[in-house]
């Protein structure tokens, strides 16, 4: 079955623009996986953590990792925040 070429083109209204800068991304990609390791250690019983702590570490670590890899943060978009440095952009 043939598809129309316009079906394969990404529409601008569906594309999420990046709003996570390099330093922000680096911090997210450091702390995100670290929190996932803490959550895994808690789940395996290596570190005595409560259920709520493990769940919080899992959610925060996953969120930081995903937003760091995707370079976009829905919360930043909601409040209109952007940590990218764009060369040539004035104040």
């Amino acid at each position: 079955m043939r598809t129309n070429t316009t079906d394969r083109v990404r529409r601008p209204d569906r594309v999420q623009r990046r709003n996570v800068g390099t330093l922000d991304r680096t911090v997210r990609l450091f702390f995100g996986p670290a929190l996932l390791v803490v959550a895994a250690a808690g789940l395996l019983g290596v570190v005595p953590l409560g259920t709520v702590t493990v769940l919080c570490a899992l959610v925060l670590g996953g969120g930081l990792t995903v937003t760091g890899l995707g370079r976009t943060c829905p919360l930043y978009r909601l409040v209109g925040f952007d940590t990218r440095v764009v060369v040539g952009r004035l104040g």
Side-chain angles (χ1 to χ4, degrees):
M1 180 175 158
R2 299 181 84 191
T3 59
N4 190 353
T5 56
T6 57
D7 292 340
R8 290 181 276 156
V9 176
R10 297 182 92 180
R11 294 187 174 96
D13 58 338
R14 292 187 180 183
V15 175
Q16 269 204 327
R17 293 197 172 98
R18 293 179 178 166
N19 59 4
V20 174
T22 304
L23 179 61
D24 190 5
R25 180 176 188 235
T26 303
V27 170
R28 288 169 184 267
L29 290 177
F30 177 79
F31 285 107
L35 283 170
L36 291 175
V37 168
V38 168
L43 284 172
L44 296 173
V46 176
V47 178
L49 297 174
T51 305
V52 174
T53 305
V54 170
L55 190 60
C56 287
L58 188 64
V59 169
L60 286 173
L64 288 173
T65 303
V66 168
T67 56
L69 290 173
R71 298 181 185 177
T72 183
C73 178
L75 184 60
Y76 280 5
R77 181 164 313 288
L78 186 66
V79 297
F81 198 66
D82 190 345
T83 60
R84 293 175 304 139
V85 175
V86 179
V87 177
R89 182 174 68 176
L90 297 176

Short mmCIF file of all heavy atoms in Angstrom, two decimals, residues 27-41 57-58 60-62 64-65:
data_model
loop_
_atom_site.label_atom_id
_atom_site.label_comp_id
_atom_site.label_asym_id
_atom_site.label_seq_id
_atom_site.Cartn_x
_atom_site.Cartn_y
_atom_site.Cartn_z
N VAL A 27 23.25 17.53 33.75
CA VAL A 27 22.83 17.30 35.14
C VAL A 27 21.72 16.26 35.19
O VAL A 27 21.73 15.36 36.04
CB VAL A 27 22.38 18.64 35.78
CG1 VAL A 27 21.71 18.41 37.12
CG2 VAL A 27 23.57 19.58 35.94
N ARG A 28 20.77 16.37 34.27
CA ARG A 28 19.67 15.40 34.22
C ARG A 28 20.19 13.99 33.93
O ARG A 28 19.72 13.02 34.52
CB ARG A 28 18.66 15.79 33.14
CG ARG A 28 17.84 17.00 33.50
CD ARG A 28 17.05 17.49 32.28
NE ARG A 28 16.34 18.70 32.56
CZ ARG A 28 15.07 18.75 32.98
NH1 ARG A 28 14.39 17.63 33.12
NH2 ARG A 28 14.49 19.89 33.24
N LEU A 29 21.15 13.89 33.00
CA LEU A 29 21.67 12.57 32.63
C LEU A 29 22.64 12.01 33.66
O LEU A 29 23.02 10.85 33.59
CB LEU A 29 22.31 12.63 31.25
CG LEU A 29 21.33 12.81 30.10
CD1 LEU A 29 22.07 12.93 28.77
CD2 LEU A 29 20.32 11.67 30.06
N PHE A 30 23.05 12.82 34.62
CA PHE A 30 23.86 12.33 35.74
C PHE A 30 22.94 11.85 36.87
O PHE A 30 23.05 10.73 37.36
CB PHE A 30 24.82 13.40 36.25
CG PHE A 30 25.62 12.96 37.44
CD1 PHE A 30 26.71 12.14 37.30
CD2 PHE A 30 25.24 13.36 38.72
CE1 PHE A 30 27.44 11.72 38.41
CE2 PHE A 30 25.96 12.94 39.83
CZ PHE A 30 27.06 12.12 39.68
N PHE A 31 22.03 12.73 37.30
CA PHE A 31 21.19 12.41 38.45
C PHE A 31 20.06 11.44 38.14
O PHE A 31 19.64 10.69 39.01
CB PHE A 31 20.62 13.70 39.07
CG PHE A 31 21.64 14.46 39.86
CD1 PHE A 31 22.18 15.64 39.36
CD2 PHE A 31 22.09 13.99 41.08
CE1 PHE A 31 23.13 16.34 40.07
CE2 PHE A 31 23.04 14.69 41.81
CZ PHE A 31 23.57 15.87 41.30
N GLY A 32 19.55 11.45 36.91
CA GLY A 32 18.48 10.54 36.53
C GLY A 32 18.87 9.08 36.70
O GLY A 32 18.24 8.34 37.47
N PRO A 33 19.92 8.63 36.02
CA PRO A 33 20.34 7.24 36.19
C PRO A 33 20.81 6.93 37.61
O PRO A 33 20.61 5.81 38.10
CB PRO A 33 21.50 7.09 35.20
CG PRO A 33 21.21 8.11 34.14
CD PRO A 33 20.60 9.27 34.87
N ALA A 34 21.40 7.92 38.30
CA ALA A 34 21.81 7.69 39.70
C ALA A 34 20.60 7.39 40.57
O ALA A 34 20.63 6.48 41.41
CB ALA A 34 22.56 8.92 40.23
N LEU A 35 19.51 8.12 40.38
CA LEU A 35 18.29 7.86 41.14
C LEU A 35 17.68 6.51 40.76
O LEU A 35 17.11 5.81 41.61
CB LEU A 35 17.28 8.97 40.92
CG LEU A 35 17.56 10.27 41.69
CD1 LEU A 35 16.63 11.38 41.20
CD2 LEU A 35 17.40 10.05 43.17
N LEU A 36 17.81 6.12 39.50
CA LEU A 36 17.31 4.80 39.09
C LEU A 36 18.11 3.68 39.76
O LEU A 36 17.54 2.66 40.14
CB LEU A 36 17.36 4.67 37.57
CG LEU A 36 16.37 5.53 36.79
CD1 LEU A 36 16.61 5.40 35.29
CD2 LEU A 36 14.94 5.15 37.14
N VAL A 37 19.41 3.89 39.92
CA VAL A 37 20.25 2.90 40.62
C VAL A 37 19.84 2.81 42.09
O VAL A 37 19.75 1.72 42.66
CB VAL A 37 21.75 3.25 40.46
CG1 VAL A 37 22.61 2.42 41.40
CG2 VAL A 37 22.19 3.06 39.02
N VAL A 38 19.59 3.98 42.70
CA VAL A 38 19.14 3.99 44.10
C VAL A 38 17.80 3.25 44.23
O VAL A 38 17.60 2.46 45.16
CB VAL A 38 19.02 5.44 44.62
CG1 VAL A 38 18.28 5.49 45.95
CG2 VAL A 38 20.39 6.08 44.75
N ALA A 39 16.89 3.50 43.29
CA ALA A 39 15.59 2.82 43.32
C ALA A 39 15.77 1.31 43.16
O ALA A 39 15.12 0.52 43.86
CB ALA A 39 14.69 3.37 42.22
N ALA A 40 16.64 0.91 42.25
CA ALA A 40 16.88 -0.52 42.04
C ALA A 40 17.50 -1.16 43.30
O ALA A 40 17.12 -2.26 43.69
CB ALA A 40 17.80 -0.74 40.84
N ALA A 41 18.42 -0.45 43.93
CA ALA A 41 19.04 -0.96 45.15
C ALA A 41 18.00 -1.10 46.26
O ALA A 41 18.03 -2.05 47.03
CB ALA A 41 20.18 -0.04 45.60
N ALA A 57 12.18 7.90 43.91
CA ALA A 57 13.45 7.81 43.19
C ALA A 57 13.24 7.25 41.79
O ALA A 57 13.86 7.71 40.83
CB ALA A 57 14.44 6.95 43.97
N LEU A 58 12.35 6.28 41.67
CA LEU A 58 12.06 5.67 40.37
C LEU A 58 11.40 6.68 39.42
O LEU A 58 11.81 6.82 38.27
CB LEU A 58 11.16 4.45 40.57
CG LEU A 58 10.90 3.58 39.36
CD1 LEU A 58 12.20 2.95 38.88
CD2 LEU A 58 9.90 2.49 39.72
N LEU A 60 11.30 10.11 39.69
CA LEU A 60 12.19 11.25 39.42
C LEU A 60 13.35 10.85 38.51
O LEU A 60 13.70 11.57 37.57
CB LEU A 60 12.72 11.83 40.72
CG LEU A 60 11.73 12.65 41.54
CD1 LEU A 60 12.34 13.02 42.89
CD2 LEU A 60 11.31 13.89 40.79
N GLY A 61 13.95 9.69 38.79
CA GLY A 61 15.07 9.22 37.97
C GLY A 61 14.64 8.95 36.54
O GLY A 61 15.33 9.33 35.59
N GLY A 62 13.49 8.33 36.38
CA GLY A 62 12.98 8.07 35.03
C GLY A 62 12.65 9.36 34.30
O GLY A 62 12.97 9.52 33.12
N LEU A 64 13.87 12.43 34.84
CA LEU A 64 15.09 13.17 34.51
C LEU A 64 15.83 12.52 33.33
O LEU A 64 16.34 13.21 32.45
CB LEU A 64 16.02 13.24 35.72
CG LEU A 64 15.58 14.17 36.85
CD1 LEU A 64 16.50 14.01 38.05
CD2 LEU A 64 15.54 15.61 36.39
N THR A 65 15.88 11.21 33.32
CA THR A 65 16.57 10.51 32.24
C THR A 65 15.86 10.72 30.90
O THR A 65 16.50 11.04 29.90
CB THR A 65 16.68 9.01 32.55
OG1 THR A 65 17.36 8.84 33.80
CG2 THR A 65 17.43 8.27 31.46
#
